[in-house]
Amino acid sequence: MKSRKHMSTKALPPIDTLAEGGNLQRTEALTRQADKFLAHRRPLGPLEYALSQSGFTVPKLAEQGNGCRIHDTLGNEFIDWHQGFGATLLGHRNSEVENAIREQLGKGVNLSASSSPEVEVAVALCDMIPSAEMVSFGKNGSDATHAAIRLARAITGREMVFTTEYHGFHNWSLASDPTCEGIPQRQRNLIRTIPYNDIEALEEMFREFPDEVAGLIVDPIRREIPNSDWFEGLRSLADRYGALLIFDEVVTGFRFSPGGVQELYGIIPDLTCVAKALANGMPLSALLGKRRYMEKLPQIYFGMTYRGEALSYASALASLNIYKREPVHEHVANIGTALRERFDILAAKYDIPTTLKGHPARMEVAFGCAGRISDLGIKSLFVQELVRNGIYSDGLFLPSYPMNEEVIELTATALDKTMGVVRAAKDCNTLEGFLVYPTSEDCYREA
Ligand code: PMP
């Protein structure tokens, strides 16, 4: 049992300052109400999630966004490297997207029948994504992955699922997370997490359950660029063992290329899930795939009241047109590469063992730390200092289309200050006096 002796109670200056146009009283009132009335306990945005384990909260509520910047209710401006969990690939308030939504608003929001934009988005997706022959829509990424797994089970008559990491909040997926409560044990027995980028180990798993796996669902590129044989290996193992290969391109879709990772690597999965950038922040997801499988969709009752909601289709259509017409994925990859270069130089300057892992369009900070402070503790401090310096990130760096050289410069300046503080904390071997909010025991390693 770790001791709590490291709990820091030292008062540092509050993290928030009131900028012009900000409203302190309103913010404090809203924050109190959020704490009291929002059951999901994430009223303060994604940073709270990253830092909740260290007791750190970011008392900011977003007021508005524009391009790659957001403002909080205190009037502070941040460069938004989070971009709505990666959804707003074109940035906040892209004018073409916004006009399309406005135009549709004048025609009605939920018209009780499929609308023309719904059909047009389906056609555009089949044109853009290599594995798409038919499409169905949901609202969240979780809807699409949930339907994909139920469809794979219906088609194969099997129940076991092989998975990579997070694929949504439904039982079948969170069954792989032992810390999530309320999941029936039977569901937990039906899921196995595969080792990423290790075909031999995956084959070993298939050998253990040769006739039981309904689907192999993978988030194709998360923290690591896989070996060249990985995707072909997935395809051939799925075929050999009679499982459906499902690409969860909820994050990678449109961001890595208009046709997603499958287009980049020339691999055709049986089913694919996209969401997030599909409608640039509006709630829309899609399950798509080979006709012979998708035709079975009515048998799994993938239905919902809000499928007809037309603003999201209008937004998707405008977004897809931009992805087709403009070099969006190349630009965000260039931005990611430029940031990573600056990041590496600063990490060397301060001698901090850290990198931005993953594809340049989807990077995540990773610390390899020695000493008393744990990786979580360092990450908490890192995020705190970035926020103080006007950078909104929970450790994920998801570049967006409006980002430019100036944004890289501002981010590098903030990173410079941030890494300076991290260096100082490491030298002192404590977070005491560095983290504003009390640190939890998880911020330190076992003695
Ligand atoms: N798959 C992946 C890879 C994700 O990252 C997420 C959410 N971030 C989901 C599925 C679920 O999407 P949603 O939150 O829209 O339900």
Side-chain angles (χ1 to χ4, degrees):
M1 180 70 188
K2 293 174 184 173
S3 91
R4 298 192 73 84
K5 65 177 185 262
H6 300 312
M7 294 281 286
S8 162
T9 49
K10 197 167 170 181
L12 288 178
I15 198 155
D16 293 304
T17 49
L18 191 64
E20 203 181 326
N23 186 327
L24 190 56
Q25 266 179 340
R26 177 170 160 256
T27 300
E28 282 174 356
L30 278 169
T31 305
R32 273 196 304 278
Q33 286 171 330
D35 286 345
K36 185 166 176 194
F37 295 112
L38 286 181
H40 50 77
R41 295 181 63 219
R42 299 204 44 204
L44 310 174
L47 292 178
E48 189 190 34
Y49 171 75
L51 299 170
S52 56
Q53 293 179 68
S54 70
F56 178 92
T57 56
V58 181
K60 292 182 178 68
L61 295 157
E63 185 83 288
Q64 55 176 301
N66 212 333
C68 60
R69 289 173 160 84
I70 51 170
H71 286 90
D72 69 7
T73 47
L74 292 165
N76 298 310
E77 181 178 282
F78 299 89
I79 292 171
D80 185 8
W81 281 94
H82 194 273
Q83 293 289 170
F85 287 92
T88 52
L89 178 58
L90 297 170
H92 304 288
R93 304 204 56 197
N94 174 282
S95 59
E96 198 170 323
V97 172
E98 202 165 284
N99 286 340
I101 295 171
R102 225 181 256 120
E103 196 179 315
Q104 183 60 45
L105 191 57
K107 296 180 187 166
V109 170
N110 200 328
L111 301 174
S112 317
S114 285
S115 58
S116 55
E118 179 175 338
V119 183
E120 288 172 275
V121 175
V123 173
L125 287 174
C126 288
D127 188 38
M128 217 176 216
I129 300 183
S131 65
E133 292 171 4
M134 284 184 99
V135 180
S136 181
F137 294 105
K139 294 276 99 194
N140 299 289
S142 302
D143 297 347
T145 55
H146 187 50
I149 294 304
R150 195 188 286 167
L151 188 59
R153 283 173 169 163
I155 287 165
T156 60
R158 300 166 170 188
E159 295 193 342
M160 176 75 78
V161 171
F162 283 179
T163 170
T164 46
E165 284 186 52
Y166 184 73
H167 298 286
F169 78 94
H170 290 291
N171 275 2
W172 74 266
S173 167
L174 280 177
S176 65
D177 182 346
T179 64
C180 179
E181 298 179 24
I183 309 258
Q185 184 55 44
R186 184 163 156 63
Q187 294 265 354
R188 298 198 191 277
N189 299 339
L190 295 177
I191 192 158
R192 293 289 180 281
T193 304
I194 65 169
Y196 187 78
N197 202 13
D198 186 343
I199 280 294
E200 277 171 30
L202 178 60
E203 179 152 21
E204 193 57 41
M205 285 176 64
F206 267 113
R207 272 198 229 107
E208 200 183 335
F209 304 100
D211 308 312
E212 291 175 56
V213 184
L216 166 59
I217 181 166
V218 292
D219 180 353
I221 300 183
R222 196 179 168 107
R223 293 187 195 87
E224 234 179 285
I225 309 288
N227 301 334
S228 54
D229 64 344
W230 170 243
F231 289 119
E232 275 169 30
L234 290 181
R235 183 65 276 176
S236 74
L237 283 176
D239 289 344
R240 191 171 335 142
Y241 289 93
L244 264 62
L245 177 61
I246 304 161
F247 270 18
D248 174 350
E249 299 228 39
V250 164
V251 178
T252 56
F254 317 107
R255 177 170 282 282
F256 283 34
S257 88
V261 171
Q262 57 196 270
E263 182 183 36
L264 286 181
Y265 284 80
I267 291 294
I268 306 293
D270 298 306
L271 298 173
T272 297
C273 307
V274 291
K276 302 219 189 241
L278 169 58
N280 201 49
M282 291 291 282
L284 189 68
S285 63
L287 170 65
L288 35 96
K290 294 181 179 165
R291 181 170 300 276
R292 65 177 181 279
Y293 300 132
M294 292 297 290
E295 276 175 345
K296 304 250 183 327
L297 202 67
Q299 291 165 221
I300 66 153
Y301 301 166
F302 179 43
M304 66 198 65
T305 303
Y306 296 113
R307 175 173 291 144
E309 182 267 298
L311 302 186
S312 296
Y313 292 118
S315 177
L317 205 51
S319 305
L320 295 178
N321 276 333
I322 298 174
Y323 301 147
K324 265 195 274 186
R325 197 183 65 219
E326 295 184 27
V328 177
H329 75 282
E330 288 99 335
H331 181 76
V332 294
N334 289 341
I335 289 288
T337 303
L339 182 71
R340 179 146 44 204
E341 278 168 20
R342 302 296 291 272
F343 188 98
D344 288 347
I345 291 168
L346 291 166
K349 173 177 167 187
Y350 291 103
D351 192 20
I352 299 171
T354 177
T355 49
L356 287 180
K357 285 185 132 185
H359 186 282
R362 181 194 194 183
M363 299 182 298
E364 190 171 338
V365 72
F367 292 98
C369 289
R372 186 174 149 231
I373 310 170
S374 70
D375 290 0
L376 177 72
I378 291 290
K379 186 171 170 188
S380 300
L381 183 61
F382 176 82
V383 172
Q384 170 187 293
E385 292 306 307
L386 278 184
V387 172
R388 270 179 191 277
N389 287 288
I391 302 298
Y392 198 77
S393 163
D394 62 351
L396 288 177
F397 289 85
L398 296 159
S400 64
Y401 197 41
M403 289 185 171
N404 55 19
E405 196 47 45
E406 185 201 356
V407 165
I408 299 294
E409 283 307 321
L410 290 168
T411 308
T413 303
L415 279 169
D416 198 342
K417 294 184 185 154
T418 296
M419 290 205 201
V421 174
V422 169
R423 179 73 262 160
K426 282 169 75 66
D427 288 344
C428 297
N429 217 10
T430 180
L431 292 167
E432 187 94 20
F434 293 99
L435 260 187
V436 171
Y437 287 82
T439 55
S440 77
E441 59 206 39
D442 293 334
C443 288
Y444 293 96
R445 292 172 193 280
E446 298 264 10

